[in-house]
Amino acid sequence: MSSQTQVIKQEGKFSGFLKGALAVMPLTIAVIPWGILAGSFALDAGLSPFESQAMSAIIFAGSAQLVATGMIKAGIGLTSILITTLLITSRHFLYGMAMRPQISPMPFKWRLVLGFLLTDELFAIANQGKQHKLNPWYALGGGFSFYLGWNLATAAGIIAGQTIPNLDTWGLDFAIAATFIAIVVPSVKKPSVLFCVLVSLVGAVVCELLAIPAGLLIAALLGMTCGTLYAKLTGEKT
């Protein structure tokens, strides 16, 4: 292979990586308050700064981290924490199945890395349908830049949590809802998807008002079922 061809291929890799990083940048910025909250909340739960940062570096799952640290603070056992975390992150199984046609042909090292970096945000920018050929460097750019942003935000939260009192009263948890709204809204391109979102929204609110356990999971399953039935009954094209 000539040196010119190698340069062109390297530029293609860098271009794909940069495009992925830029595509996920708005979501990375939106999740900063969430990361700060996760870092400070972990300290408040009794974890050391190193342990708090390690949660973001190893677990890398915002909602699961917040719930797990809350359960640690409440003194709940490890088994219950693991089961709850599994339920919260179970949606990643659906992400994996949806992206399998694009990722399964890739070498094992790519599947391993992208599997670790797969988040709601990466799924939002990288999942373009079964017929779309995913550029692994694009996915790596999006996933790694978001991983870096999340860990930097966590570090900021750990530092702030040690110096600023009552950080949890600043309303940073609104970033959680704002992030998911930013993920969902651009994907609403079909009536069935809109129907799914509305049913899930109403279902989640009703479950919360009635204090039904696993309300979010119930609302999500109900929304997906109703959206699928709507698409079939109306003959909507996929």
Side-chain angles (χ1 to χ4, degrees):
M1 183 181 295
S2 66
S3 58
Q4 183 177 4
T5 303
Q6 289 180 335
V7 170
I8 292 174
K9 290 190 68 174
Q10 290 296 330
E11 288 179 349
K13 294 176 182 179
F14 178 76
S15 175
F17 187 94
L18 183 60
K19 287 180 180 178
L22 291 176
V24 83
M25 187 61 68
L27 296 175
T28 304
I29 295 173
V31 86
I32 288 175
W34 188 354
I36 293 174
L37 181 63
S40 62
F41 193 36
L43 284 182
D44 189 53
L47 299 181
S48 68
F50 176 79
E51 291 169 336
S52 302
Q53 188 65 56
M55 286 192 73
S56 286
I58 299 172
I59 300 176
F60 187 39
S63 54
Q65 287 178 225
L66 289 175
V67 172
T69 50
M71 296 177 74
I72 292 172
K73 185 177 181 180
I76 297 174
L78 177 61
T79 302
S80 297
I81 293 175
L82 292 176
I83 293 175
T84 303
T85 302
L86 177 63
L87 290 174
I88 293 173
T89 57
S90 60
R91 66 188 184 279
H92 288 81
F93 288 112
L94 299 176
Y95 295 163
M97 288 189 291
M99 298 188 68
R100 186 177 183 277
Q102 299 100 290
I103 294 181
S104 58
M106 297 181 185
F108 176 74
K109 63 179 181 180
W110 275 110
R111 286 182 277 136
L112 190 64
V113 171
L114 295 182
F116 174 73
L117 294 175
L118 182 59
T119 58
D120 304 293
E121 291 76 12
L122 180 58
F123 180 78
I125 68 165
N127 183 46
Q128 303 296 328
K130 296 180 180 179
Q131 305 303 321
H132 175 75
K133 184 177 181 180
L134 177 64
N135 181 350
W137 289 98
Y138 175 87
L140 179 63
F144 180 75
S145 62
F146 187 81
Y147 176 81
L148 184 61
W150 174 254
N151 278 273
L152 289 175
T154 302
I158 293 171
I159 296 172
Q162 294 176 310
T163 56
I164 302 176
N166 302 319
L167 191 62
D168 57 336
T169 63
W170 286 30
L172 297 177
D173 52 344
F174 176 73
I176 301 174
T179 301
F180 280 104
I181 291 173
I183 292 172
V184 171
V185 170
S187 66
V188 181
K189 300 176 181 178
K190 298 179 180 179
S192 61
V193 177
L194 177 61
F195 191 57
C196 172
V197 171
L198 293 177
V199 171
S200 298
L201 173 63
V202 174
V205 172
V206 171
C207 288
E208 178 66 21
L209 292 175
L210 298 179
I212 298 176
L216 286 178
L217 182 60
I218 294 172
L221 292 174
L222 182 62
M224 287 187 291
T225 301
C226 292
T228 302
L229 290 175
Y230 179 89
K232 289 185 177 180
L233 291 174
T234 59
E236 181 180 288
K237 295 182 179 180
T238 57

